[in-house]
Amino acid sequence: LVRDSLRQMPRWEQVRWLAKRGLPDPYLRDCTPVQDSGLRCIGRWSFGPSIWVDVRATADDTIVFLSRGSGVSVIRFRSQDSLRLDLLSDINSHGLTGRCQVRDTLLYVNSGGVECYDINDLTHPTLLNWLSQPLIYDFFVVDTFLYTSSRDSLRIFSVANPASPRWLGACADSGYVMYVAGGHVYLGHQAGLFILDVSNPASPHRVAAMGFDVLSIWVRDTLLYFGTTDQYLKVYNVRTPTAPLPVGSLSGFPPYHLYLPPTCDTVLYAPNFRIVNIADPRNLRVIGQANPPGWDYCVTVVPRLNYALVADYHEGLAVVGIENPQSPTLDTTMLAADAASDISVQGGLAAIASDKDGLLLVNVLNPAKPSFLGRYDTLGILPQMQSAVLADSFAFVGWPVERMQSVDISEPTRPVRAGVCQGMFNQPQDMVLRDSLVYCAELRRFQIVNVARPRQPALVGSCVLSGDAWDLDVEDTMAYVTSNALTMVSIARPDSPRVVATWNTMVAVDVEDTIAYTYGSGAVWSLNVANPASPHVLDTVRISGWVSDVVVGDSLAYVGGQQLYVINISDPANLRVVGQWTPPHEFRRLLWTPSYLYAACYEAGVCILETVAVGLEEPQEKGGKQANIRLSPSVTTGPVTVTAGRGNGRPYVRLYNGSGASVGESVIQGKLGATTVQLDLSGYPDGVYFVNLQRNGMSFTMKVVKAKRR
């Protein structure tokens, strides 16, 4: 409930609201690397709300850097004939992004720590350094100095060598926002506005403080502009920073961000796109206003093009014409924001249900570089989609207005509305497709839709659930729904589904054969549901943090929420946590395929993960030496080549399934002195296997995924 309430307020209010109550912030994560095991992130589609925008203007182009979700988009902005954005590259950051700042050929990004990129080649930014510090709220770069504000201190680093920042000094003052000018740092905190002398970087110290709860700061020459939570824009004279003097103020709006164009001293830009005349700082007045639909996180101005760019949070990037400051015009909104709630994958196509941007279609043929294909945004009306499933050339999506739609995706770059299911009780929160039926878990309802005719989906059956619906799985003639309770629903007759039994309150569920793996009360449970009317517990394993989804793949269960846990379920009566991965943001949905695990990370977009060998231990080579042992390809439809390395003995290869049980031929014998051994997995079921090579008393284990050609 707290998380849902937070999403209704701007980000800077969230930070203060949580801090005042001593609650952890789910949006901000410590940047200390976690020693994870069992999973490896191989690709990201990192788009979410637009947070910050900065520009680098040249004689020929204006380059826009837009922080959104857990990444930064590098965009060429043109307006000679009509507004146009050319996406040059996308950067995946370590976590949710905040301020981004361009300095010549360097880009600095706040992602919990501070990342520095070489942007000489805008199409291929290169990470130079990731400054991992305890939860950096904000940062600022001036000349060769980097200033960071963390939860407990201000720290100063030399970035004369950007690839190797060098710590210079610190002091015990902190703030959520900061600005650096004239040898002083201005820190905005709920406890006040602090002015620090940093003329000697090795010895920063406070010289003044003012009792305001500060949201934003800008300094120009001897004037300090700042916004407060009681909806005031204030101006102080800081010619003498130790004794700031009030000059003027303006009330009536919450200034979450301020922007003063570098070539203009007479206007200031503030949220709701107010243009404030500051020619006389004693008499501030609003002279123009546009109304972008979002939260106006950050504004920057491109004077030579007479446009302002607004990072408009969930509404994306807004463009405002400012040729006439008295009448700014909202020209258009481009690069709409995303918030991934669900994902469905078919071959190399991923359908993402976005809570803020409708249905997104993404090419995932190359998991390391997902690429955007098309968008279906329900005509811009209530685009909140919670669930999606793919079936051939159609996608079925849950939508608040018409409950459930079918979308023709035969041309992924131009998806179009195909049909709507009449009679749905509510928007599906989760959907499962089996043959020609889509099973829908909704608020207080479980419903079944026939999609044999995709353009005419038809409701065929319905039954009542208690409370909201969170997760759904279908196995044989039973559906399992988590809501106020884990509910077992018989679907033997699709026209008349009925509740068979309910169990404890659970959040997420996935069923494999007669075993249900579910999460609730701080633990993952394995339940025997051979008799669905009377489930009984086999085992539990406790994990920390909240969970939103559970999926099963081979002999492993993946449990995601704040963290992603890998649990060995080869013995359902003996569950064991064997791996853990820290996402850039919370999970909403997980999807397992024989090759990859897809994670919908809400405001951080989608992560594509690959499992590493957790079913078997990998023995070390004697003496600790590394041998030239390789396996290719790692994902195959059948043929596999194992490179045995140099040696005089005979290589032996054993094949195991994901749970460590020997399968097929227990030993495949190579020729004496051979350097390769050939395997053929075409006769084995799809899934994860482990290849164990032994030679001259040494043993090596490698993973291979067997999958059908798509």
Side-chain angles (χ1 to χ4, degrees):
L1 291 177
V2 169
R3 289 196 305 276
D4 290 339
S5 298
L6 286 173
R7 293 192 185 98
Q8 306 308 314
M9 63 176 72
R11 184 70 192 100
W12 305 147
E13 283 190 9
Q14 295 172 16
V15 172
R16 287 162 173 75
W17 190 92
L18 290 164
K20 287 179 179 178
R21 290 159 178 79
L23 298 174
D25 189 337
Y27 283 70
L28 291 175
R29 295 176 179 271
D30 279 325
C31 227
T32 305
V34 177
Q35 298 301 317
D36 299 332
S37 63
L39 291 165
R40 175 173 56 242
C41 185
I42 61 170
R44 293 258 301 281
W45 176 253
S46 59
F47 303 133
S50 298
I51 296 292
W52 203 277
V53 62
D54 200 1
V55 298
R56 187 182 75 183
T58 68
D60 300 318
D61 289 310
T62 296
I63 307 302
V64 179
F65 300 86
L66 177 67
S67 294
R68 51 175 180 155
S70 59
V72 178
S73 292
V74 183
I75 305 158
R76 179 180 287 113
F77 178 75
R78 302 175 185 270
S79 66
Q80 286 82 353
D81 301 316
S82 61
L83 287 175
R84 192 176 83 218
L85 291 182
D86 297 325
L87 183 64
L88 301 179
S89 59
D90 288 312
I91 298 170
N92 288 318
S93 299
H94 286 84
L96 290 182
T97 55
R99 182 193 295 268
C100 65
Q101 190 174 1
V102 183
R103 286 293 179 264
D104 299 321
T105 60
L106 298 174
L107 172 68
Y108 294 88
V109 182
N110 182 6
S111 61
V114 177
E115 303 172 21
C116 178
Y117 292 87
D118 182 334
I119 53 173
N120 274 294
D121 182 353
L122 293 169
T123 61
H124 293 91
T126 303
L127 179 65
L128 297 177
N129 182 70
W130 176 34
L131 182 64
S132 176
Q133 293 291 315
L135 199 54
I136 292 174
Y137 289 129
D138 202 4
F139 77 92
F140 209 91
V141 178
V142 175
D143 299 326
T144 59
F145 297 103
L146 166 65
Y147 304 84
T148 69
S149 175
S150 62
R151 68 179 80 188
D152 59 358
S153 62
L154 170 81
R155 303 184 186 197
I156 305 176
F157 299 84
S158 168
V159 287
N161 178 2
S164 182
R166 181 168 53 89
W167 182 82
L168 298 175
C171 67
D173 271 319
S174 179
Y176 299 113
V177 293
M178 70 188 310
Y179 199 94
V180 182
H184 290 82
V185 170
Y186 299 81
L187 288 175
H189 193 274
Q190 65 193 36
L193 194 158
F194 310 130
I195 304 177
L196 285 69
D197 185 332
V198 292
S199 55
N200 178 4
S203 181
H205 57 280
R206 185 194 297 187
V207 296
M210 293 179 281
F212 300 102
D213 187 349
V214 178
L215 291 168
S216 55
I217 302 173
W218 202 282
V219 179
R220 174 66 56 82
D221 298 327
T222 61
L223 294 178
L224 162 66
Y225 302 85
F226 62 94
T228 66
T229 54
D230 55 357
Q231 302 195 2
Y232 271 90
L233 168 64
K234 294 182 177 292
V235 186
Y236 273 67
N237 186 316
V238 288
R239 182 183 298 275
T240 305
T242 57
L245 299 173
V247 176
S249 68
L250 180 65
S251 66
F253 60 95
Y256 297 112
H257 178 74
L258 304 175
Y259 183 83
L260 276 71
T263 57
C264 179
D265 291 321
T266 59
V267 294
L268 172 148
Y269 296 87
N272 294 332
F273 205 78
R274 284 177 168 86
I275 301 179
V276 181
N277 187 310
I278 58 172
D280 180 1
R282 297 166 298 181
N283 183 28
L284 305 176
R285 54 195 178 90
V286 175
I287 58 173
Q289 181 175 354
N291 286 291
W295 284 345
D296 287 23
Y297 251 39
C298 174
V299 177
T300 193
V301 175
V302 189
R304 68 186 185 88
L305 297 180
N306 280 318
Y307 280 102
L309 303 174
V310 182
D312 216 20
Y313 204 62
H314 279 313
E315 301 303 326
L317 179 67
V319 180
V320 182
I322 55 172
E323 189 169 10
N324 178 4
Q326 282 74 37
S327 182
T329 56
L330 183 62
D331 197 297
T332 186
T333 298
M334 295 173 288
L335 285 179
D338 310 330
S341 294
D342 194 13
I343 184 169
S344 180
V345 176
Q346 179 180 265
L349 178 68
I352 302 169
S354 171
D355 190 34
K356 303 299 178 184
D357 197 28
L359 175 69
L360 309 172
L361 298 175
V362 175
N363 184 333
V364 292
L365 277 173
N366 180 358
K369 293 185 177 180
S371 57
F372 177 74
L373 293 174
R375 170 183 292 109
Y376 175 70
D377 65 1
T378 63
L379 303 178
I381 304 170
L382 286 176
Q384 296 97 330
M385 290 185 176
Q386 299 295 326
S387 55
V389 290
L390 287 172
D392 299 323
S393 58
F394 290 88
F396 300 94
V397 294
W399 187 40
V401 178
E402 292 178 336
R403 309 308 191 222
M404 179 181 173
Q405 281 189 346
S406 60
V407 180
D408 186 336
I409 58 169
S410 54
E411 176 50 64
T413 59
R414 301 185 67 181
V416 295
R417 183 178 187 269
V420 62
C421 182
Q422 302 293 337
M424 298 293 288
F425 183 76
N426 221 318
Q427 176 187 13
Q429 298 298 304
D430 197 11
M431 298 190 292
V432 173
L433 173 69
R434 292 288 186 271
D435 299 322
S436 61
L437 296 175
V438 173
Y439 301 87
C440 304
E442 308 162 22
L443 173 66
R444 299 190 181 92
R445 284 294 189 280
F446 173 79
Q447 299 191 294
I448 303 176
V449 179
N450 188 323
V451 294
R453 295 180 176 179
R455 298 183 185 279
Q456 297 174 325
L459 179 65
V460 296
S462 179
C463 69
V464 175
L465 296 176
S466 60
D468 204 348
W470 301 320
D471 198 14
L472 167 68
D473 193 31
V474 174
E475 185 76 13
D476 296 327
T477 61
M478 296 296 300
Y480 302 83
V481 185
T482 59
S483 57
N484 288 1
L486 174 60
T487 304
M488 277 64 76
V489 181
S490 172
I491 54 173
R493 290 190 54 183
D495 61 337
S496 56
R498 60 184 179 86
V499 174
V500 172
T502 59
W503 199 66
N504 295 353
T505 300
M506 293 285 118
V507 174
V509 65
D510 199 4
V511 181
E512 188 77 6
D513 298 324
T514 60
I515 309 298
Y517 300 93
T518 184
Y519 172 84
S521 303
V524 178
W525 305 64
S526 56
L527 303 177
N528 187 321
V529 290
N531 178 4
S534 181
H536 65 271
V537 177
L538 298 176
D539 194 20
T540 65
V541 59
R542 297 198 67 82
I543 59 175
S544 61
W546 56 271
V547 165
S548 59
D549 203 8
V550 174
V551 296
V552 172
D554 289 329
S555 60
L556 301 172
Y558 303 94
V559 182
Q562 286 180 307
Q563 300 287 320
L564 181 59
Y565 293 91
V566 186
I567 299 178
N568 189 311
I569 58 172
S570 55
D571 179 2
N574 182 28
L575 305 180
R576 293 181 294 113
V577 176
V578 294
Q580 183 179 348
W581 185 71
T582 303
H585 190 36
E586 65 186 57
F587 291 111
R588 283 301 183 88
R589 283 279 184 259
L590 299 172
L591 173 70
W592 183 84
T593 69
S595 302
Y596 304 105
L597 181 71
Y598 297 85
C601 297
Y602 201 62
E603 293 191 0
V606 171
C607 292
I608 305 175
L609 301 110
E610 184 180 55
T611 56
V612 296
V614 296
L616 292 173
E617 295 294 329
E618 298 188 25
Q620 294 292 322
E621 187 179 358
K622 285 186 178 180
K625 298 179 181 178
Q626 296 295 319
N628 184 22
I629 306 299
R630 295 190 302 275
L631 179 148
S632 178
S634 59
V635 179
T636 182
T637 58
V640 176
T641 299
V642 181
T643 302
R646 297 178 182 178
N648 297 322
R650 191 185 300 275
Y652 295 86
V653 170
R654 289 179 170 84
L655 186 64
Y656 300 87
N657 64 19
S659 61
S662 178
V663 295
E665 301 178 37
S666 59
V667 176
I668 301 170
Q669 184 173 312
K671 296 180 180 179
L672 188 68
T675 57
T676 61
V677 178
Q678 304 294 327
L679 300 178
D680 186 1
L681 305 186
S682 56
Y684 295 99
D686 288 358
V688 177
Y689 294 88
F690 296 95
V691 178
N692 178 256
L693 171 69
Q694 295 188 16
R695 185 178 200 168
N696 297 336
M698 295 181 292
S699 177
F700 305 88
T701 302
M702 296 150 285
K703 187 190 76 170
V704 62
V705 176
K706 163 66 168 49
K708 292 184 179 71
R709 188 180 304 278
R710 298 186 184 274

